[in-house]
Each structure stands twice: as structure tokens, then as C-alpha cells.
Amino acid sequence: MTVIVFLSSLMAAMALGVPIAFSLLLCGVALMVHLGNFDAQILAQNLLEGANSFSLLAVPFFMLAGEIMNAGGLSRRIVHFAMALVGHVKGGLGYVTIVAAVIMASLSGSAVADAAALTALLLPMMVAAGHDKSRSAGLIAAGGIIAPIIPPSIGFVVFGVAGGVSISKLFMAGIFPGVWLALALVATWWWLVRSEQITPPPRKTFREILEALRLAAWALVLPFIIVFGLKFGIFTPTEAAVVAAVYSLFVSTVIYGELNLRKLVPLFITASKTSAVVMFLVAAAMVSAWLITVANLPGQIVELLTPVLDSPRLLMLCIMLLTMVVGTALDMTPTILLLTPVLMPVVKAAGIDPVYFGVLFIINNAIGLITPPVGTVLNAVAGAGKISMDEVTKGVVPFMIAQFVIMFLMVAFPQLVMVPARWFY
């Protein structure tokens, strides 16, 4: 009965168009009433404590770093460097998109910010070169969702806080899965453009490549600073977010000189608004998470899944399929906050490594950002590229399928995630 109250109240609120955060609060109230312990003070206390986390400070700083990176010229120089490296091969602009997406993912951790920046920079160039606009937009969208997987990742921060999992280990474990997804995009793009008759731009000289590297060097150094600092315990993930924001600000204002105080104010406002939405979501979800624990919903779910607890791969398959379905209707952060408190006890009962589960779970949620009808990244690309949502959805399908294939390969072969991850622990 508790499960029915939880789901029906949540779905009813969402069906009425209530924002996700308030739907979570209403769901919490419904659970409290059902359990007979409604107390407004407890509700308020859990709401405040939900956002009272040092680890969650990483979210606004990573978002600020992403805003500064895009406005301060770091993104443009990264694209220019990728163009110098691979722009001359057949379908080169597609490979430029993938390389740039991976590099930018290692700077900001925000799929929407990366996808919007790549769309503004690369979509007009790809269309002008003769590539199909729908397919190009789909590739950019699929490249953008690598951001929540390669560190630094806002998704890993939220999951780590909600599930009590080491954020540093999640960051390190996400490096190679992000590369696998990028390679899947490379293979898919190669297959799709193999018959296109488009003349690529001439190969850059070694001197031009070195010049592009020199211009992008300040941006390219940041991922190494973050990984090195986390690996050797120099700073925590939250402190890494501060380092990323301060470094991006320094490079954009002092080195590149593209930002000044007047331009910074709107960036801080935008990052603050986005952070406020995420933090309120987290706070509201923690109310439901506390009540889920009180109502022993995880214990009931464990009992229901007892037949598959002896088969971790089968259990992971079931969880991934469930997350895929939920991801078509909910954005990434609400899905993480809703499912993590329910699924973590099940995962632990089955003996599955929480870090491995977290990586696969975030990958699934990231791909959910390009699955219709919600598809937050699809909307971002459609808006930034002045292209219809239907066209972007049509173009993203082959890339989305390729990324799902990689995800399920990692379900079948956990060593694809955990063996490389332990190199960085």
C-alpha cells in the first residue's frame, strides 16, 4: 500500500503539471499522512537538511565553471584545436564535434551547457559543409551527454550525495565509460557518412596544429589538474569544483581577456538560477528519501526482487530497463533523486559494487537526456540551432542506439568499467 501511495501521489502531481520539486514535496506529505506521522516541522527540517551538504557545493561551482568556459572563449579554442587535429579527414567536422565534446565534458560536467555551446559553434559549419542538418544536430546532442559521465560530473555529485557513494571514486570510474561512448559515436558517424560526397577542408600544417594547441593549452590543462588533484587527494570533489570555477575565471579574464565585470554579472546570475533549481530539487527529494526509509520501501522492493538477487547481471539489466523507461519522462536530476534511495539497498543486497552501479546508472540517465519526449538536451540543441525538435530527434536515433549498446555491454561485462577505474583509485 505504501508503494501505491508513493507512486500515485507523485504521478498525480506531475500529471497536473506541478513542478517536479513541489511534486516531491506533495509526495512526501502524502506519505507522512499515510504513515500517520504528519508534522510540518519534520517536513521543514528535512527540507533544509536535504541541501545542507558540503558535497553539494560542487554543483553551483561546476555550473559556474561551465558558464564561464562557454562565454570566456575556452569552448571556441577547444573546437579550433579539434578542427586542426581531425578536421581534414572525411566527415571531419563530425569527429571534431566528438573530440570537442569529450574535452568540454572534462571541463564543465553539464550536458545542456556543452550541447548548446557545440550547437552554436559547429552546427552552422556542418550544414555549410554539406552535412545533413538533422544528423549533425543529433550527433551534437549525443556528444553533449558525455558531460555527465567524464569527470567533473554534476550527476555523479548528486548521485554520490543521495546514495552515500564516494564521489571521487565515481569521478575516476567515469573516465573510460565516457571514452567508450565517444568511440561508439565515432563508429556510428563513420558508418553514416561513408557514402557522403563532401570535400573536407585541407589538412592543417604541423605549425598550425601547434598554434591551435598553444591557444587551447590553458583550457586543456584543467582536466589534468582535476584528475591529478583527486587522484592524489590534493582536494575533494567540492574543492575541485572551486578550482575549476576559479581557473576558468582567471583564464577568461586575465589570459584570454574575453570577460570583464560587466559580462560576468549575467553569468553569475544564470549559474545561480540553475543551481537554485537543482538544489531545491535535491532538498525536496531528501524529504521523500527520508520517508522512503521510514516506510521501509527499500526493504519491500528487496523482497520483491529476491528471485533475481542471486544474479547481479540480470538484476542490473532489470534496473537499466526501468531507468530507461523513467528517463523518457523525467529529467536526469529528478530520476537520480527518486530512484537512488530505492535502488541502492537492492544493489547492496545483491553484492553489486555501488561505484559500478553508479556509473551505469548515470550513463543511463545521461542517455535519457536525448530520449523523447522530454529530452532536455534535444530541446537545448533545437533552441540553439533553430531546428525543430522532430528533426533533432530523428537525427539522434542512431547515436542514441549506439550508446545504449555500449551501456548494455558494460552491464554484461562489468570489467569494462571496473578494471580501468581501479587504475585511477
Side-chain angles (χ1 to χ4, degrees), residues 142 145-146 149 177 180-185 188 316-317 319-330 359-372 375 378 393 396-413 416:
I145 63 104
I146 296 175
I149 302 161
W180 304 146
L181 292 179
L183 292 176
L185 294 182
T188 307
M316 281 294 295
L317 178 62
I319 291 175
M320 290 300 105
L321 292 173
L322 169 65
T323 307
M324 284 176 64
V325 173
V326 175
T328 62
L330 288 180
V359 171
L360 268 293
F361 185 57
I362 295 301
I363 289 174
N364 203 333
N365 279 283
I367 300 175
L369 296 173
I370 56 173
T371 55
L378 296 181
T393 303
V396 83
V397 169
F399 305 107
M400 180 180 65
I401 292 173
Q403 290 178 321
F404 271 130
V405 168
I406 293 297
M407 183 190 75
F408 283 113
L409 280 174
M410 287 187 276
V411 172
F413 303 101
L416 289 174

Side-chain angles (χ1 to χ4, degrees), residues 299-335:
Q300 297 177 36
I301 301 295
V302 169
E303 289 181 10
L304 289 173
L305 295 175
T306 299
V308 295
L309 289 182
D310 292 333
S311 178
R313 282 187 176 85
L314 180 59
L315 176 62
M316 281 294 295
L317 178 62
C318 294
I319 291 175
M320 290 300 105
L321 292 173
L322 169 65
T323 307
M324 284 176 64
V325 173
V326 175
T328 62
L330 288 180
D331 200 5
M332 183 175 188
T333 303
T335 305

Side-chain angles (χ1 to χ4, degrees), residues 10-372:
L10 179 64
M11 297 304 173
M14 290 172 58
L16 292 172
V18 179
I20 298 295
F22 292 100
S23 297
L24 289 167
L25 284 176
L26 288 172
C27 172
V29 171
L31 276 175
M32 291 181 84
V33 172
H34 171 68
L35 296 172
N37 62 354
F38 177 77
D39 188 326
Q41 287 184 327
I42 295 177
L43 191 72
Q45 181 181 359
N46 279 281
L47 183 66
L48 291 173
E49 286 300 314
N52 185 22
S53 169
F54 178 74
S55 297
L56 285 175
L57 278 175
V59 174
F61 282 109
F62 278 136
M63 287 186 171
L64 178 60
E67 294 290 339
I68 294 172
M69 179 191 74
N70 291 335
L74 279 75
S75 300
R76 188 175 68 254
R77 286 168 173 82
I78 288 169
V79 169
H80 182 65
F81 173 62
M83 182 75 71
L85 282 180
V86 295
H88 61 278
V89 301
K90 184 175 182 179
L93 283 172
Y95 303 121
V96 168
T97 299
I98 298 166
V99 172
V102 171
I103 297 173
M104 289 171 63
S106 63
L107 298 176
S108 74
S110 172
V112 173
D114 284 7
L118 287 171
T119 302
L121 291 167
L122 285 169
L123 186 59
M125 295 171 60
M126 297 179 79
V127 173
H131 291 292
D132 179 77
K133 188 173 186 179
S134 172
R135 181 184 295 162
S136 302
L139 175 65
I140 292 171
I145 63 104
I146 296 175
I149 302 161
I150 291 180
S153 163
I154 295 171
F156 281 144
V157 172
V158 176
F159 173 81
V161 171
V165 182
S166 168
I167 298 173
S168 295
K169 287 187 175 181
L170 288 167
F171 276 11
M172 298 298 99
I175 296 174
F176 271 84
V179 173
W180 304 146
L181 292 179
L183 292 176
L185 294 182
V186 169
T188 307
W189 178 256
W190 170 83
W191 177 262
L192 292 174
V193 301
R194 69 194 189 285
S195 59
E196 286 186 348
Q197 301 300 318
I198 296 175
T199 304
R203 180 193 292 268
K204 299 290 185 182
T205 65
F206 184 67
R207 182 186 295 273
E208 289 174 320
I209 294 175
L210 285 180
E211 176 62 15
L213 175 60
R214 184 187 67 80
L215 293 173
W218 284 98
L220 296 173
V221 165
L222 180 56
F224 295 99
I225 293 175
I226 292 174
V227 172
F228 182 86
L230 291 172
K231 165 69 176 176
F232 293 99
I234 298 172
F235 41 67
T236 67
T238 302
E239 291 162 348
V242 178
V243 169
V246 172
Y247 183 88
S248 301
L249 182 61
F250 173 78
V251 172
S252 299
T253 54
V254 177
I255 305 299
Y256 295 157
E258 296 199 13
L259 289 182
N260 53 37
L261 184 60
R262 183 173 54 84
K263 293 180 180 178
L264 277 176
V265 173
L267 297 183
F268 277 91
I269 293 174
T270 302
S272 299
K273 288 180 178 179
T274 310
S275 300
V277 172
V278 175
M279 297 297 280
F280 186 51
L281 265 172
V282 173
M286 290 306 176
V287 175
S288 296
W290 177 76
L291 288 163
I292 285 170
T293 304
V294 171
N296 195 32
L297 278 182
Q300 297 177 36
I301 301 295
V302 169
E303 289 181 10
L304 289 173
L305 295 175
T306 299
V308 295
L309 289 182
D310 292 333
S311 178
R313 282 187 176 85
L314 180 59
L315 176 62
M316 281 294 295
L317 178 62
C318 294
I319 291 175
M320 290 300 105
L321 292 173
L322 169 65
T323 307
M324 284 176 64
V325 173
V326 175
T328 62
L330 288 180
D331 200 5
M332 183 175 188
T333 303
T335 305
I336 295 170
L337 295 171
L338 276 173
L339 294 183
T340 301
V342 176
L343 295 177
M344 278 303 293
V346 180
V347 167
K348 291 178 180 177
I352 298 172
D353 189 325
V355 174
Y356 166 69
F357 166 70
V359 171
L360 268 293
F361 185 57
I362 295 301
I363 289 174
N364 203 333
N365 279 283
I367 300 175
L369 296 173
I370 56 173
T371 55

